[in-house]
Amino acid sequence: MTIQEFQTVCSQLEQEYTAKIAAAADLNAVEELRVAALGRKGALTELLKNLKDFSIEDKKTAGPLGNALKAALTAALEDKTAALSAAALNEELNRVHLDLTLPGRPLARGKRHPLSIAQKRMTDILSSLGFTWAEGPWVEDERHNFDMLNIPLHHPARDAQDTFFAQTGSPLSMVLRTHTSNVQSRFMEKHQPPLRIMAPGRVFRNDSLDATHSPVFHQIEGLYVDENVSMADLKRDLSAFMKGLLGDKTEIRFRPSFFPFTEPSAEVDVKCVFCGGKGCNVCKGSGWIEMLGSGIVHPNVLKNCGINPEKYSGYAFGMGVERLAMMLVNINDIRTFYENDLRILKQF
Ligand code: DAH
C-alpha cells in the first residue's frame, strides 16, 4: 500500500464510520460499530498493519493520520452513546409519571415498653451509684431461691400458694424464682467482697391477675457487701436513688419490717408524689407510698455463700418495677403493661 492509498482509506473509513455511528439506532449498534472500527480485528487496526512497510518519512505522515482517525471515531462513539442514554432517560421520564408532591408512606417506629423505660431509668441511676449488672436464672433451685437466703423450710413464702414449682427432671427441687434475691446467693457464692450489684429481672408468684397483682412481674435487687457497711449506707444510697428517680425534693422514710434474709429489715416509703404527703387515693390517705424492702444482709446469708460475716457486712434491697413504673407513667392498672394494646403502648 502506498502512502496515498493509506490517506484515501483513512478518509473513507472516517466518512463511512461517522455516518454509520450517526445512524446507529441503539447502544448495541454503537458497541458493534466500536468493535468493527477500533476492535482488535477492526478496520483501523487492519489499516495500521500497513505502517510497518512504510519508509520512515511515510511513517511520519501515516502515524498522526491513524491517531487522528482513532481520536475522531472514539469521540463520535462517545457522543453517540451519551446522546442515546440521555434519550432513553427522557423517554423513561416521560413514560413514568412521578408525583414528587405526594406524602411519603408512614414508617411504623418501634418504641420501648413502659416497663423497659422504667427499668432503664432505675438501672441507669443505680449504675451511676456504682452498681454493676448481675443476672440469675428464672427457673431456680430451692437452695438458691430460699435456703441460702435463710428462708426456713416451713416459711409461708415457700408454700404452694405463693410459689410455682417447676417440673424439670432435675434431682433438685425447682421453682420459678419468687424474687430477684436468688441473684444474691448466685453472686455471693462466686464472688468475695467488695461487691456492689443490681439484678433486674422477671419474677413469678402464684397470684391471680388483678389491678395490682400479676403472676409475672419484675424486680430490681440491690446488694452491697464490704467491710463496715451499715444502715447509714443503705439510707444514703436509697435516698440518692429515689431523688434521682422522682426528683430532688423526694423524701423517704424507713419502717421496721421483717425479711428472713436481712436483720434488721426495713420497708422504705416515699412521700407521695401525687399529693405531696397530704393524703390522696393513690397513697390511700397515708401520705406515703411503700416502695421496697431492704435491710442489712443476715450473717447466715453471708455464711451460706462462703463470706465471713465477722469481717464483712452488707445491705440489700429489692423493689418492684411495676409499682414504680405505674407511678412514673401514671397508670393505675398493672394489666395495662401486659395486654400490649398498641394504642396505649404508643403513648410512652
Ligand atoms: N425479696 C423480697 C420480696 O420479693 C424483697 C426484698 C426485701 C429484697 C428485702 C431484699 C431485701 O434484698 O433486703 O418481697
Side-chain angles (χ1 to χ4, degrees):
M1 179 183 267
T2 65
I3 182 71
Q4 285 77 21
E5 284 168 336
F6 183 91
Q7 284 168 330
T8 312
V9 178
C10 262
S11 52
Q12 278 171 356
L13 282 180
E14 175 155 11
Q15 274 175 25
E16 177 190 346
Y17 278 98
T18 317
K20 281 183 174 168
I21 291 167
D26 56 32
L27 291 170
N28 279 338
V30 175
E31 175 60 13
E32 275 168 24
L33 287 170
R34 189 190 64 75
V35 173
L38 307 177
R40 231 164 7 104
K41 292 185 177 141
L44 182 63
T45 319
E46 290 301 318
L47 177 62
L48 293 179
K49 283 182 182 160
N50 294 301
L51 273 175
K52 65 179 190 309
D53 303 325
F54 283 167
S55 67
I56 306 252
E57 273 310 301
D58 286 351
K59 277 182 184 159
K60 281 185 182 161
T61 316
L65 273 180
N67 284 340
L69 175 56
K70 183 171 182 190
L73 293 182
T74 304
L77 287 163
E78 280 171 3
D79 289 352
K80 187 66 182 181
T81 303
L84 285 173
S85 307
L89 181 61
N90 273 331
E91 198 264 335
E92 163 111 10
L93 287 174
N94 284 331
R95 196 159 39 80
V96 184
H97 291 281
L98 247 190
D99 183 351
L100 296 175
T101 65
L102 282 176
R105 283 195 198 111
L107 272 183
R109 293 183 65 217
K111 292 197 118 188
R112 276 186 200 272
H113 191 278
L115 281 179
S116 306
I117 296 173
Q119 179 180 296
K120 184 169 184 321
R121 282 187 58 179
M122 295 158 86
T123 52
D124 280 353
I125 297 170
L126 287 173
S127 76
S128 78
L129 293 173
F131 290 80
T132 55
W133 195 280
E135 280 177 30
W138 293 353
V139 181
E140 182 59 287
D141 56 64
E142 290 203 63
R143 201 164 69 83
H144 288 90
N145 193 79
F146 295 128
D147 301 317
M148 291 175 75
L149 292 167
N150 201 38
I151 303 174
L153 197 54
H154 299 293
H155 192 277
R158 295 179 74 144
D159 201 320
Q161 279 200 344
D162 289 325
T163 305
F164 286 118
F165 289 86
Q167 230 91 55
T168 63
S170 159
L172 299 171
S173 169
M174 304 297 279
V175 299
L176 298 186
R177 68 172 179 191
T178 56
H179 49 192
T180 45
S181 304
N182 71 322
V183 185
Q184 289 192 34
S185 15
R186 288 269 164 201
F187 199 85
M188 285 193 284
E189 73 181 353
K190 292 249 165 66
H191 301 88
Q192 283 294 313
L195 51 91
R196 197 196 283 260
I197 54 162
M198 57 185 173
R202 196 165 284 193
V203 300
F204 309 85
R205 300 265 173 97
N206 197 353
D207 280 330
S208 38
L209 189 64
D210 63 25
T212 54
H213 294 88
S214 159
V216 183
F217 59 103
H218 299 79
Q219 288 185 333
I220 298 182
E221 193 83 6
L223 175 69
Y224 172 40
V225 186
D226 201 344
E227 289 175 29
N228 301 315
V229 175
S230 73
M231 214 65 183
D233 297 294
L234 177 64
K235 198 158 188 181
R236 176 200 59 215
D237 292 348
L238 284 180
S239 173
F241 171 76
M242 288 301 175
K243 284 187 198 306
L245 194 66
L246 301 171
D248 269 349
K249 299 210 169 58
T250 309
E251 281 175 51
I252 62 174
R253 75 173 182 191
F254 279 54
R255 260 184 306 111
S257 182
F258 175 80
F259 300 102
F261 29 90
T262 44
E263 179 58 38
S265 304
E267 211 117 18
V268 177
D269 303 337
V270 293
K271 176 88 66 78
C272 180
V273 291
F274 297 100
C275 63
K278 283 190 206 69
C280 64
N281 60 354
V282 180
C283 59
K284 300 195 188 80
S286 76
W288 296 88
I289 300 177
E290 186 186 316
M291 287 307 243
L292 54 92
S294 65
I296 295 299
V297 180
H298 197 293
N300 285 350
V301 175
L302 295 176
K303 225 182 295 169
N304 292 340
C305 297
I307 291 175
N308 180 0
E310 305 295 333
K311 181 163 185 215
Y312 295 110
S313 57
Y315 71 59
F317 58 85
M319 56 196 165
V321 177
E322 275 77 356
R323 160 139 352 152
L324 260 159
M326 285 164 83
M327 281 178 55
L328 289 175
V329 299
N330 225 336
I331 276 180
N332 57 13
D333 191 325
I334 201 172
R335 290 168 288 200
T336 313
F337 291 137
Y338 313 117
E339 280 162 358
N340 288 332
D341 182 335
L342 285 180
R343 292 167 304 176
I344 292 176
L345 295 184
K346 272 181 182 164
Q347 298 174 31
F348 302 108

